[in-house]
Amino acid sequence: MTAEVRTLAALEFKGRMITVTVLRVLEPTLSVLARDLDRRLAEAPELLRGLPTLLDLDAVSASLDSLDICGLVRLLLERGITPIGVRSPSAQMSALAKKGGLLAITSDGTDVIRRFAESKVQMTAAPVTPAKSPALLITHPVRSGQQVYAPEGDLIITSSVSAGAEILADGHVHVYGPLRGRVMAGLRGDTSARIFALHLDPELVAIAGNYRISEYIEDRERGDNMQVYLHGESLKIEKIKS
Amino acid sequence: MGKTTTSASFATGLAQAGHRTAVVDFDVGLRNLDLIMGVERRVVYDFVNVIHGDASLKQALIKDKRVDGLYILPASQTRDKDALSHEGVGRVLSELAAEFDYVICDSPAGIERGALMAAYFADEAIVVTNPEVSSVRDSDRILGILASKTQRAERGDSPMPGRLLLTRYAPARVIKGEMLSVDDVLEILAIDMLGVIPESLSVLNASNAGLPVILDDDSDAGQAYQDAVARFLGDERPHRFMSVPKKGLLERLLGG
């Protein structure tokens, strides 16, 4: 058991982006390449030291036969440059890379960058247009003569609903305060919609078109912590059991 | 219900505290404010004249003779409320706002044009209510309008601060269950309370005499208005006149 855990912990995969230098080979002749490279390195000896380098052989694709890949690798290593592969190789170049002990790198990572960039765009774009909750939140009192409708979602009111006010929702209705007005949940036929109120003393309650007016709401159906739901075709008004 | 009585007393109280104050009667067609302020015989031009440009604000404003810095802009008795154009009211009020510390708009009852115009340009509302179910219901409706149909609401500014002034309060009738209690009213309206004005004969007497009741230092209603104005200006004062006053021995013996 312990051994297994240790085996797993001995390896770890991590995605990392590293910078590589691309060395475009424009001339197949080693001596010419060596001379040119030496001159470049004389100008900036530390510039390429230890840098992972990809070879781009596109410019010499016509004269690949005369390119001594093993000699080129040796030449680069001697000068502190670390060739790791051949970039976007053709079939012939891949064979050459294999011969020189190099990798044939088909992906240059730009698609990774693109994927990464896209996910970043999503992340940075997120706060600008946050996913809108279908619920409607009202934090001020709903007064007599006012109407509040939450289409396609729940209605949440953290204040009072006065007598003479009307609150409607396609979903559930939650009132964290006294509910004294008219209330309709499941306005477009959702029979599972419910009404919850911290204090229920309504003029009318309705769920999915089934309604009860104040006259038919009994005293025991009024009070604190009440909920209204549809049972078959009859409205049930009862205390929320905790 | 006490709106004009309140406007008169409030304006007077603010002026007494040293603030230049104008009180504007929006009850076009009925004209009560000038009566209660005792200036009805000095009315030459009115609010509608100023809106129409027939008179300047200076010509129409009546200076109160009792309190310095208090001016009254009376309503017209011969026009109807349609004379209150949106632009005209806005222009007159901004002219007043430039010259006065406080402009009190005395709103008529109901939710018709006069009331809507009185409320539209306001920065703050004092809702006058009687402790009766219908009056409280109407106030709730008005609070809804203040929250949705005023310049502040249309501009998307913070909601207009509204405070409650409960008038004609009779604690003895509350105990008998004939009247809503302060707590009942506050629970229904869910706003802050500025004050409670007790039901008092002195209010009627003062109105008939053309004297804002706040100037009657001996009356409970006058003192209650003084408290309310002080609270409005930021003073903290305990609420009074909310319970039945204890009767003295003699009063009890006499059954008074």
Coordinates of all heavy atoms in Angstrom, one line a residue, chain A residues 32 65 87 89 100-101 119 143 186 235:
Chain A
V32 N 30.5 25.9 -43.7 CA 29.9 27.2 -43.8 C 29.1 27.6 -42.6 O 29.2 28.7 -42.0 CB 29.1 27.3 -45.1 CG1 28.4 28.7 -45.2 CG2 29.9 27.0 -46.3
D65 N 19.9 15.7 -48.6 CA 20.8 14.6 -48.8 C 22.2 15.0 -48.4 O 23.0 14.2 -47.9 CB 20.8 14.1 -50.2 CG 19.4 13.5 -50.5 OD1 18.7 13.1 -49.5 OD2 19.0 13.4 -51.7
R87 N 11.8 21.0 -36.4 CA 10.4 21.7 -36.4 C 9.6 21.3 -37.6 O 10.2 21.4 -38.7 CB 10.6 23.2 -36.3 CG 9.4 24.0 -36.1 CD 9.7 25.4 -36.0 NE 8.5 26.2 -36.0 CZ 8.4 27.3 -36.7 NH1 9.3 27.7 -37.5 NH2 7.3 28.0 -36.6
P89 N 8.5 18.8 -39.4 CA 9.3 18.1 -40.4 C 8.5 17.4 -41.4 O 7.4 17.0 -41.2 CB 10.1 17.0 -39.5 CG 9.2 16.8 -38.4 CD 8.3 18.0 -38.2
G100 N 19.8 11.8 -36.3 CA 20.6 12.6 -35.4 C 20.3 12.6 -34.0 O 20.8 13.4 -33.2
G101 N 19.3 11.7 -33.6 CA 19.0 11.6 -32.2 C 18.1 12.8 -31.7 O 18.1 13.1 -30.5
S119 N -9.2 29.9 -22.9 CA -9.7 29.6 -21.5 C -9.5 30.9 -20.7 O -10.3 31.2 -19.8 CB -9.0 28.4 -20.9 OG -7.7 28.7 -20.6
R143 N -45.1 48.0 -2.4 CA -46.1 48.8 -1.8 C -47.5 48.6 -2.5 O -47.5 48.1 -3.6 CB -45.8 50.3 -1.9 CG -44.4 50.7 -1.3 CD -44.5 51.1 0.1 NE -43.3 51.5 0.7 CZ -43.1 51.5 2.0 NH1 -44.1 51.1 2.8 NH2 -41.9 51.8 2.5
G186 N -45.9 30.0 -10.0 CA -46.2 29.1 -11.1 C -47.2 29.7 -12.1 O -48.1 29.1 -12.5
L235 N -55.1 23.9 -2.9 CA -54.0 24.6 -2.3 C -53.8 24.2 -0.8 O -54.8 24.2 -0.1 CB -54.3 26.1 -2.4 CG -54.0 26.8 -3.8 CD1 -54.4 28.2 -3.7 CD2 -52.5 26.7 -4.1

